Amino acid sequence: MDSLETKRIVDEAISKSKLVIVIGKCRVQYSGRAASKLSEGDRMLVIKHDGTFLVHQSTKMRAINYQGPGASVGTRFSSEGLVIYAERKTPVKEVIECAFKEITFAQSFTLEDDEKLKLFGSERELSDLLMDDLQLIEKGLTPLKQESKLWKGKIDILAKDFRGRYVVIELKRRTAGLDAVTQLTRYVEEVGKRMDKQTRGILVAPGITQNALKMIEKGGLEYFKLDYEIHNPRAEIKGLQKKQKELSEYCEEE
Amino acid sequence: MDSLETKRIVDEAISKSKLVIVIGKCRVQYSGRAASKLSEGDRMLVIKHDGTFLVHQSTKMRAINYQGPGASVGTRFSSEGLVIYAERKTPVKEVIECAFKEITFAQSFTLEDDEKLKLFGSERELSDLLMDDLQLIEKGLTPLKQESKLWKGKIDILAKDFRGRYVVIELKRRTAGLDAVTQLTRYVEEVGKRMDKQTRGILVAPGITQNALKMIEKGGLEYFKLDYEIHNPRAEIKGLQKKQKELSEYCEEE
DNA sequence: CGGGCTAGCTGCGAG
DNA sequence: CTCGCAGTTAGCCCG
């Protein structure tokens, strides 16, 4: 396909806010938050009307090189042929350039689409379900606040147990790892200092890694296995299995 | 465009391991790790030969619905028209279905591309630079091990200072937040327990959030501002500014 | 395979 | 803008 014709197609697509696809052999260069070079090969370039600039290889989900929404796209000719580029100034100056040696295909399209994705089984949905019935986790547990903000971060659910102790609940929609435990630790530490040394912390997740569980136990925290099913169009909590460590010591244990 | 013809194009693309693009008005359903519904609208569907299945809307970088590499793709006719789907069994059963009401465009392409991206300015590259000259951070600092594996995770750089104290270094290529500090805390805690209570922890990053800095200070840790530039084709450390808190107490301070 | 972690993460939402 | 965090995170690497 002709470079000049391709340039016309891309320029027109940009001015008319259309989506444009260019397929061909190209080299890619990027410079900004990081920098990269990609030698010649066949790729699919997609440019959206919001400035999104995606260079896809023949495999993988993610674009190998890209520019996010807000970029300004342009075309020019170099000694090598047609160069399509996208530039962004904020938060840092970034440039991506795609130099086409051969062009297989180029066409623009109008996409009308106002629909938003309805997603089920998100952490927020599970959190709402738990807020409605914390008893599922433990009898006597009453919700205080969802998304409670501390300076050390944001607590998923803050509650009080039957004895009046604060309970920090960290919820994960999938297997929890060390990061989840450190998060919980951080919150429990702050609530404990600000409110009450007796503050408890419960990690609620469908699974947990070995090391994370070990850390939970050493840290005097608790883990609750949460089984849920996504019925579509909504999630539902199936059953809850306790695995509670006897509240004992927050004091260091070797 | 004709549905039957589109089906033929997609089926042929799958069997011949080609990339195929379908553009048109469609509804999308997904079920697996989560579930979702997307009402009718114009979208671009991209299917790669490795099973990657991407449904793109007219804006944003990320596909609104997708299936990763390894999915098996197929087509069928329903009462509504052509349905293109992708299925995966591991790690959990997942299905995505795209039901086309109208088809604007459908075509397959062969993409030959063996090139890998060369990326500069990655955390690993910065880590290597630091290992070569830890003196930049502090005189008398000598490297012990990179990517040292602990029980509680993986330390970026483990070193010893001029007094023989262990120093855990956590490196971030961009502004560090609370998560980076908790990570560091986790490592310092383990090294401190296993090796030496005097273990220090240094967070090295080009920036740090207010709360993260507060947490660094309260936790008796240190922060070093790392200025680097990516010259392409490699990163280079520009200057290093110390902001060291006098090593004082690991004991709790209110 | 799981486990831990980076990512040019992206995207969202609150301040 | 910044900050904190979820994500069908994806992708990598190492046991």
Side-chain angles (χ1 to χ4, degrees):
Chain A
M1 197 169 180
D2 187 52
S3 287
L4 253 159
E5 171 66 1
T6 301
K7 180 170 165 38
R8 195 194 60 73
I9 291 170
V10 174
D11 289 342
E12 198 232 35
I14 295 166
S15 68
K16 296 207 173 144
S17 287
K18 294 166 76 178
L19 177 140
V20 58
I21 300 173
V22 179
I23 293 173
K25 201 178 290 294
C26 65
R27 286 188 307 103
V28 190
Q29 270 194 316
Y30 157 76
S31 173
R33 286 169 290 177
S36 70
K37 280 182 194 289
L38 183 61
S39 306
E40 211 166 273
D42 294 328
R43 277 121 209 176
M44 175 185 69
L45 167 63
V46 178
I47 302 170
K48 299 187 184 186
H49 71 81
D50 64 350
T52 300
F53 189 101
L54 305 168
V55 181
H56 272 275
Q57 284 184 307
S58 59
T59 60
K60 299 290 168 63
M61 273 199 52
R62 297 189 53 129
I64 188 74
N65 267 138
Y66 55 86
Q67 195 74 248
S72 44
V73 182
T75 58
R76 71 160 184 275
F77 276 103
S78 77
S79 56
E80 283 188 290
L82 179 62
V83 175
I84 307 175
Y85 59 89
E87 208 169 326
R88 198 156 60 142
K89 277 161 193 163
T90 52
V92 288
K93 198 197 170 192
E94 293 194 297
V95 190
I96 182 169
E97 286 186 358
C98 212
F100 282 90
K101 192 166 194 179
E102 286 173 35
I103 296 160
T104 309
F105 173 85
Q107 194 171 325
S108 68
F109 303 89
T110 303
L111 264 59
E112 281 185 33
D113 189 359
D114 302 317
E115 296 302 325
K116 298 239 180 289
L117 185 75
K118 287 172 276 287
L119 182 69
F120 314 104
S122 64
E123 189 194 283
R124 182 55 205 241
E125 194 182 5
L126 293 177
S127 178
D128 290 343
L129 286 173
L130 277 183
M131 278 297 279
D132 282 350
D133 196 0
L134 273 185
Q135 308 291 325
L136 287 169
I137 292 185
E138 180 178 294
K139 261 183 77 173
L141 219 51
T142 54
L144 291 177
K145 202 167 187 306
Q146 206 174 5
E147 309 253 312
S148 176
K149 267 189 192 155
L150 308 179
W151 67 249
K152 280 192 178 176
K154 199 176 56 183
I155 293 176
D156 283 340
I157 292 176
L158 184 62
K160 271 205 174 182
D161 71 5
F162 71 108
R163 279 209 231 164
R165 290 173 297 199
Y166 285 102
V167 181
V168 176
I169 296 173
E170 175 61 31
L171 179 62
K172 290 292 169 205
R173 65 180 304 287
R174 50 175 191 163
T175 304
L178 291 170
D179 52 344
V181 183
T182 21
Q183 234 178 89
L184 181 56
T185 306
R186 210 202 295 158
Y187 306 146
V188 169
E189 196 181 277
E190 181 173 349
V191 174
K193 269 189 187 164
R194 293 167 62 93
M195 313 291 277
D196 183 2
K197 291 284 181 194
Q198 286 298 304
T199 301
R200 295 166 58 192
I202 307 181
L203 178 59
V204 178
I208 188 167
T209 65
Q210 276 301 313
N211 291 343
L213 184 57
K214 199 167 168 180
M215 204 175 152
I216 282 272
E217 286 165 357
K218 292 229 178 199
L221 302 167
E222 300 156 58
Y223 163 66
F224 281 84
K225 181 171 171 57
L226 171 74
D227 275 316
Y228 66 92
E229 248 179 19
I230 304 151
H231 279 104
N232 195 346
R234 80 145 123 295
E236 189 170 287
I237 288 167
K238 262 170 75 179
L240 293 157
Q241 295 164 33
K242 275 201 191 191
K243 182 161 185 176
Q244 184 171 5
K245 183 176 188 279
E246 273 322 299
L247 236 304
S248 43
E249 67 290 273
Y250 274 79
C251 65
E252 296 288 292
E253 43 173 311
E254 180 59 335
Chain B
M1 197 172 180
D2 187 52
S3 287
L4 252 158
E5 172 66 0
T6 301
K7 179 169 163 42
R8 195 195 59 73
I9 290 169
V10 175
D11 289 342
E12 198 233 33
I14 295 165
S15 70
K16 295 206 173 143
S17 287
K18 295 164 76 178
L19 177 140
V20 59
I21 300 172
V22 180
I23 292 173
K25 203 178 288 294
C26 65
R27 286 189 307 103
V28 191
Q29 270 194 314
Y30 157 75
S31 173
R33 284 167 293 178
S36 71
K37 279 182 196 288
L38 183 61
S39 304
E40 210 165 272
D42 293 329
R43 278 120 209 178
M44 174 185 69
L45 167 63
V46 178
I47 302 170
K48 299 188 183 185
H49 71 79
D50 63 351
T52 300
F53 189 102
L54 305 168
V55 181
H56 272 274
Q57 284 185 308
S58 59
T59 60
K60 300 288 167 64
M61 271 200 54
R62 295 190 52 125
I64 188 71
N65 267 139
Y66 56 86
Q67 194 74 242
S72 42
V73 182
T75 59
R76 71 161 184 276
F77 276 104
S78 77
S79 56
E80 284 189 288
L82 179 62
V83 175
I84 307 176
Y85 59 89
E87 208 171 326
R88 199 156 60 141
K89 278 162 194 163
T90 52
V92 290
K93 198 199 170 189
E94 291 196 298
V95 190
I96 182 169
E97 286 186 359
C98 212
F100 281 90
K101 192 168 193 177
E102 286 173 36
I103 296 161
T104 309
F105 174 85
Q107 194 171 326
S108 69
F109 303 89
T110 302
L111 265 60
E112 280 186 31
D113 189 358
D114 302 318
E115 296 301 325
K116 300 239 178 290
L117 185 76
K118 287 172 277 286
L119 181 70
F120 314 102
S122 65
E123 186 193 286
R124 183 56 205 241
E125 193 182 350
L126 293 177
S127 177
D128 289 344
L129 286 172
L130 278 183
M131 277 298 278
D132 281 351
D133 196 0
L134 272 185
Q135 308 290 326
L136 287 170
I137 293 185
E138 181 179 292
K139 259 183 79 172
L141 218 52
T142 54
L144 290 177
K145 202 167 186 308
Q146 205 174 5
E147 308 253 312
S148 175
K149 265 188 195 154
L150 303 184
W151 177 44
K152 283 188 177 177
K154 199 176 58 184
I155 293 176
D156 283 341
I157 293 176
L158 184 61
K160 270 204 173 182
D161 71 4
F162 72 108
R163 279 211 232 164
R165 290 174 297 199
Y166 285 102
V167 181
V168 176
I169 297 173
E170 177 62 30
L171 178 63
K172 291 292 169 204
R173 66 177 305 287
R174 50 175 191 162
T175 304
L178 290 170
D179 52 343
V181 183
T182 24
Q183 232 179 90
L184 180 58
T185 306
R186 210 202 295 159
Y187 306 146
V188 169
E189 196 182 278
E190 181 173 348
V191 174
K193 270 190 186 164
R194 293 167 62 94
M195 313 293 277
D196 183 1
K197 291 282 180 196
Q198 287 298 305
T199 301
R200 297 166 55 194
I202 308 181
L203 178 58
V204 178
I208 187 166
T209 66
Q210 278 301 314
N211 290 343
L213 185 57
K214 194 169 169 180
M215 204 175 152
I216 282 273
E217 286 165 356
K218 292 229 177 198
L221 301 168
E222 301 156 57
Y223 163 65
F224 281 84
K225 182 170 170 59
L226 172 74
D227 275 315
Y228 65 92
E229 248 180 19
I230 302 150
H231 278 102
N232 198 346
R234 80 144 128 289
E236 190 170 285
I237 290 167
K238 263 169 74 179
L240 293 158
Q241 294 165 31
K242 274 201 192 192
K243 181 162 185 174
Q244 184 171 6
K245 181 177 190 281
E246 274 319 300
L247 234 305
S248 44
E249 66 290 273
Y250 274 80
C251 65
E252 297 288 291
E253 44 172 310
E254 178 57 332

